[in-house]
């Protein structure tokens, strides 16, 4: 298949050229993007801020990640990270096959909602065969089915000061020394409204298994695997990430990973 996407390495090449031509070209748009009031400035390392801004500038907001054919699915989606959460609230739901599950939608929305799995499954769905790239260096092609996040956001009515969508998860991760923190993630409104960003409830033609995030996980196809929160219990629309978790936009980000993990 054709490579429709710009690889991270090639992108950094473009970014390097673009950055180095800024003073010469005097490009207002680039200047604005490089120096403007970036909402993530306060918590992102500058290199990641630059990557984020340039990628947003150079790559069309609706550019699709590559999609594959059924024959390119070579194995099951490899479970990674949490694969069997033991948090009591999750176990109680799992024991009853998630019948009492509700997706909580809150924050900067006109109509906060609590959606059942049936309601989510009955919304318009999208199925896509995409490649999952984990930061640890492995990839898997799999078929995902779910409701576009944009659709859920539209039903809730996003307020004009919204900048990010936060995914709160059921599973907590050990931080050592007896501490733990709930997994969470966040994306900007561009990725939130991207056509391939779905709240997936199906994997390779079956219900999403527990190991891969049942009953609901997000697919964000233009970013690395750790952005794609599994075991989602709530979605919160916010204008600022600094008061959530450790303030850097995600469980792994709070431990030093980049917030923007575009590929
Ligand atoms: N809630 C939650 N989401 C998570 C993780 C996790 O540990 N907990 N791991 C992340 C990482 S690092 C990857 S690679 C993918 C793995 O998804 P998979 O198990 O379906 O392959 O989930 C991501 N989302
Ligand atoms: Mo990962």
């Amino acid at each position: 298949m054709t490579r429709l996407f710009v690889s991270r390495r090639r992108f950094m090449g473009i970014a390097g050229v673009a950055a180095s031509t800024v003073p010469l070209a005097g490009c207002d748009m680039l200047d604005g993007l490089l120096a403007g009031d970036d909402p993530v400035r306060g918590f992102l390392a500058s290199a990641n801020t630059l990557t984020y801004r340039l990628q947003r500038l150079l790559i069309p907001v609706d550019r699709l990640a590559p999609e594959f054919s059924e024959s390119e699915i070579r194995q099951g989606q490899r479970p990674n990270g949490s694969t069997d959460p033991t948090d009591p609230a999750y176990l109680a739901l799992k024991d009853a096959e998630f019948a009492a599950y509700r997706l909580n939608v809150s924050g900067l929305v006109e109509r906060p909602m609590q959606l059942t799995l049936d309601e989510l499954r009955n919304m318009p769905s999208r199925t896509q065969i995409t490649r999952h790239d984990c930061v640890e260096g492995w990839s898997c092609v799999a078929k995902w089915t779910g409701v576009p996040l944009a659709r859920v956001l539209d039903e809730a009515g996003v307020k004009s000061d919204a900048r990010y969508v936060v995914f709160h998860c059921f599973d907590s991760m050990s931080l050592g020394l007896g501490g733990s923190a709930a997994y969470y993630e966040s994306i900007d409104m561009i990725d939130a409204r991207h056509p391939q960003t779905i709240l997936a409830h199906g994997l390779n033609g079956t219900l999403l298994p527990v190991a891969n995030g049942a009953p609901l996980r997000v697919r964000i196809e233009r970013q690395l695997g750790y952005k794609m929160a599994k075991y989602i219990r709530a979605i919160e629309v916010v204008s600022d990430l600094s008061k959530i978790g450790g303030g850097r936009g995600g469980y792994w980000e709070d431990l030093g990973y980049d917030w923007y993990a575009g590929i």
Side-chain angles (χ1 to χ4, degrees):
M1 55 151 282
T2 41
R3 266 167 80 89
L4 292 171
F5 61 98
V6 181
S7 73
R8 195 176 180 86
R9 187 171 301 129
R10 185 156 156 247
F11 170 72
M12 288 318 288
I14 297 171
V17 171
S20 66
T21 57
V22 169
L24 288 175
C27 167
D28 287 347
M29 186 150 67
L30 252 187
D31 281 351
L33 263 152
L34 295 174
D37 70 326
D38 193 305
V40 291
R41 172 180 289 270
F43 67 90
L44 280 189
S46 58
N48 192 228
T49 306
L50 187 66
T51 306
Y52 171 65
R53 288 190 186 155
L54 284 168
Q55 197 141 339
R56 283 283 172 264
L57 177 70
L58 297 174
I59 295 178
V61 292
D62 278 350
R63 181 189 58 105
L64 297 180
E67 294 195 15
F68 299 79
S69 62
E70 298 269 354
S71 64
E72 290 170 286
I73 304 173
R74 307 211 185 279
Q75 59 183 101
Q77 171 71 17
R78 168 177 166 171
N80 198 44
S82 296
T83 55
D84 198 11
T86 53
D87 302 73
Y90 183 79
L91 289 180
L93 290 170
K94 186 177 91 165
D95 284 350
E97 285 165 13
F98 302 108
Y101 175 83
R102 300 288 182 274
L103 173 68
N104 194 68
V105 182
S106 69
L108 299 172
V109 293
E110 307 289 350
R111 296 171 291 280
M113 298 187 301
Q114 302 241 302
L115 296 167
T116 66
L117 279 177
D118 277 347
E119 285 171 329
L120 289 160
R121 290 182 188 130
N122 287 329
M123 289 169 96
S125 78
R126 179 185 162 98
T127 293
Q128 59 206 28
I129 302 177
T130 51
R131 197 187 66 203
H132 178 106
D133 293 320
C134 174
V135 71
E136 293 164 7
W138 55 269
S139 301
C140 252
V141 172
K143 180 164 80 173
W144 303 96
T145 300
V147 52
L149 177 59
R151 172 69 190 229
V152 174
L153 293 176
D154 286 344
E155 299 235 338
V158 171
K159 294 186 177 172
S160 59
D161 48 344
R163 303 198 86 149
Y164 309 100
V165 174
V166 180
F167 306 97
H168 296 282
C169 306
F170 283 105
D171 57 318
S172 36
M173 313 276 283
S174 165
L175 291 173
L177 298 174
S180 72
Y183 203 96
Y184 77 102
E185 259 303 338
S186 60
I187 52 176
D188 68 5
M189 297 309 294
I190 291 176
D191 269 330
R193 292 197 169 279
H194 185 271
Q196 289 169 318
T197 299
I198 59 175
L199 295 172
H201 44 69
L203 169 59
N204 291 334
T206 63
L207 282 184
L208 183 67
V210 165
N212 301 103
L216 202 66
R217 70 97 53 83
V218 68
R219 298 295 309 167
I220 304 152
E221 304 293 357
R222 300 186 302 180
Q223 294 209 48
L224 289 171
Y226 66 87
K227 299 296 293 184
M228 306 198 212
K230 310 198 284 189
Y231 315 111
I232 296 173
R233 61 173 180 78
I235 287 177
E236 186 184 3
V237 181
V238 300
S239 60
D240 170 28
L241 294 169
S242 66
K243 294 185 183 60
I244 295 170
R248 292 175 174 265
Y251 169 80
W252 284 112
E253 288 86 331
D254 289 337
L255 296 174
Y257 280 35
D258 285 343
W259 175 76
Y260 186 68
I263 46 176

